[in-house]
């Protein structure tokens, strides 16, 4: 094991044993989750709605590749390449 790797692992162990550091990390994680959770939920709803719309046009069991292409195109519209 390299010296740098050992140092990083030991630093991680010591950080995990420090209660003050763990409380700070938990506080930061809570703040980040509070900001990100609504966006993740909205993205999930968008994926489900896109799948429903696509399945109304193409059956995934009949044409899986066509379904996947249409789903991708609806979910991720092509970007404008003009720079």
């Amino acid at each position: 094991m390299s010296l740098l790797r050992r140092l990083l692992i030991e630093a991680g162990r010591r950080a995990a044993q420090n209660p003050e550091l763990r409380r700070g990390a938990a506080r930061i994680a809570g703040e980040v989750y509070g900001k990100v959770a609504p966006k993740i939920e909205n993205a999930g709803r968008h994926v489900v709605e896109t799948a429903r719309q696509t399945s109304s046009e193409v059956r995934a069991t009949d044409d899986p590749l066509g379904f996947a292409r249409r789903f991708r195109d609806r979910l991720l519209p092509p970007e404008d390449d003009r720079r």
Side-chain angles (χ1 to χ4, degrees), residues 16-68:
Q17 293 173 353
N18 185 339
E20 185 176 323
L21 187 61
R22 286 195 322 240
R23 279 192 296 275
R27 180 185 54 79
I28 291 171
E31 290 175 9
V32 170
Y33 178 76
K35 292 178 182 177
V36 173
K39 293 177 183 179
I40 292 172
E41 290 173 7
N42 192 20
R45 280 192 225 98
H46 178 64
V47 169
V48 169
E49 182 60 31
T50 302
R52 284 185 184 140
Q53 289 173 352
T54 306
S55 67
S56 69
E57 296 175 3
V58 179
R59 290 186 51 163
T61 55
D62 295 340
D63 184 14
L65 191 56
F67 177 84

Side-chain angles (χ1 to χ4, degrees), residues 78-83:
E79 294 182 11
D80 188 12
D81 287 339
R82 286 181 257 147
R83 293 182 182 158

